[in-house]
Amino acid sequence: QQPVQSPQAVILREGEDAVINCSSSKALYSVHWYRQKHGEAPVFLMILLKGGEQKGHEKISASFNEKKQQSSLYLTASQLSYSGTYFCGTEPLPNFGNEKLTFGTGTRLTIIP
Amino acid sequence: DGGITQSPKYLFRKEGQNVTLSCEQNLNHDAMYWYRQDPGQGLRLIYYSQIVNDFQKGDIAEGYSVSREKKESFPLTVTSAQKNPTAFYLCASSSSIDTQYFGPGTRLTVL
């Protein structure tokens, strides 16, 4: 089953914070976060592994709650460049390497000046 | 520069014709993937290959075919059996200890 992302869309003013959630019905080995600009390929943001710590990338960070099979992406002090559609890709347990990812339906983030 | 290339960027096809989309990577990745993306939608897996000369069907393989004769190359053929082929096609590759990296995509339009 496809992971469920929430919210489906969000509009923020520049400088505001956002949280994007990704929830799976399966036990997870990893969660991968991507951002896609319109008409372009998804760009990798970060990966969270089972047993790993919360990750950060500039003002974007993420957490992984293994028990709840959920991950959240945090965007603080959002910039115009953060606009795009955010996807989570999940990798289930057990993991044997090079497993296929199942992607969520995406969260469209719009930052306005 | 290491990376994934896809060609062409835009492709137009007449109904009933087969068309092949190219995907090449020089990252020395073992695994390669093909996804389809429709407007406003997520990524759906068509086929994937974890090793040369082997590949598996994804969630929407009907009407598509692939080959993996070389590690660097994973071409996708959209056949006339695919009823609604107009979409954005993305190729990706990965190693066993890393995430998937995407090529720039091919936008296919059926006329």
Side-chain angles (χ1 to χ4, degrees):
Chain A
Q1 285 91 337
Q2 192 174 29
V4 176
Q5 286 187 234
S6 62
Q8 289 186 316
V10 59
I11 300 174
L12 297 176
R13 292 200 176 277
E14 207 173 356
E16 292 182 334
D17 300 341
V19 180
I20 299 172
N21 300 302
C22 174
S23 181
S24 173
S25 59
K26 298 181 179 181
L28 299 176
Y29 171 73
S30 67
V31 181
H32 306 229
W33 284 98
Y34 293 82
R35 176 172 61 214
Q36 184 179 30
K37 302 277 187 179
H38 182 69
E40 300 179 6
V43 173
F44 171 69
L45 294 176
M46 65 188 73
I47 180 174
L48 297 107
L49 302 176
K50 175 178 165 60
E53 300 173 355
Q54 182 164 333
K55 293 287 231 16
H57 175 74
E58 297 178 342
K59 293 180 181 178
I60 301 174
S61 62
S63 62
F64 180 19
N65 186 324
E66 298 163 34
K67 288 184 178 179
K68 292 185 177 180
Q69 297 159 188
Q70 292 177 346
S71 177
S72 295
L73 186 71
Y74 307 94
L75 300 101
T76 58
S78 56
Q79 307 168 10
L80 293 174
S81 62
Y82 287 2
S83 290
T85 300
Y86 289 77
F87 292 101
C88 65
T90 57
E91 198 172 3
L93 285 169
N95 176 266
F96 303 109
N98 279 334
E99 294 292 328
K100 58 179 183 175
L101 295 178
T102 303
F103 286 90
T105 51
T107 295
R108 178 174 291 184
L109 175 65
T110 304
I111 309 296
I112 56 176
Chain B
D1 281 333
I4 305 172
T5 57
Q6 291 184 242
S7 61
K9 187 170 184 177
Y10 298 97
L11 188 57
F12 298 90
R13 189 195 93 175
K14 292 182 180 179
E15 280 192 31
Q17 287 182 338
N18 291 355
V19 64
T20 298
L21 282 59
S22 169
C23 178
E24 304 275 335
Q25 55 98 1
N26 60 3
L27 299 168
N28 199 33
H29 286 169
D30 288 317
M32 297 186 74
Y33 311 81
W34 274 106
Y35 293 91
R36 170 183 172 137
Q37 188 174 36
D38 293 287
Q41 302 297 313
L43 304 168
R44 292 187 291 170
L45 183 64
I46 305 172
Y47 269 99
Y48 65 108
S49 168
Q50 295 177 318
I51 195 168
V52 174
N53 291 323
D54 188 44
F55 47 84
Q56 286 79 40
K57 291 182 179 180
D59 300 318
I60 55 165
E62 186 175 350
Y64 300 97
S65 66
V66 294
S67 63
R68 186 88 186 276
E69 297 176 2
K70 297 187 300 181
K71 188 175 185 177
E72 301 80 18
S73 178
F74 191 40
L76 173 75
T77 296
V78 184
T79 74
S80 57
Q82 170 49 236
K83 299 303 179 187
N84 185 20
T86 294
F88 188 43
Y89 290 87
L90 287 159
C91 177
S93 69
S94 71
S95 66
S96 61
I97 56 171
D98 203 353
T99 190
Q100 292 183 21
Y101 294 95
F102 286 85
T106 292
R107 192 167 298 278
L108 173 64
T109 303
V110 174
L111 303 173

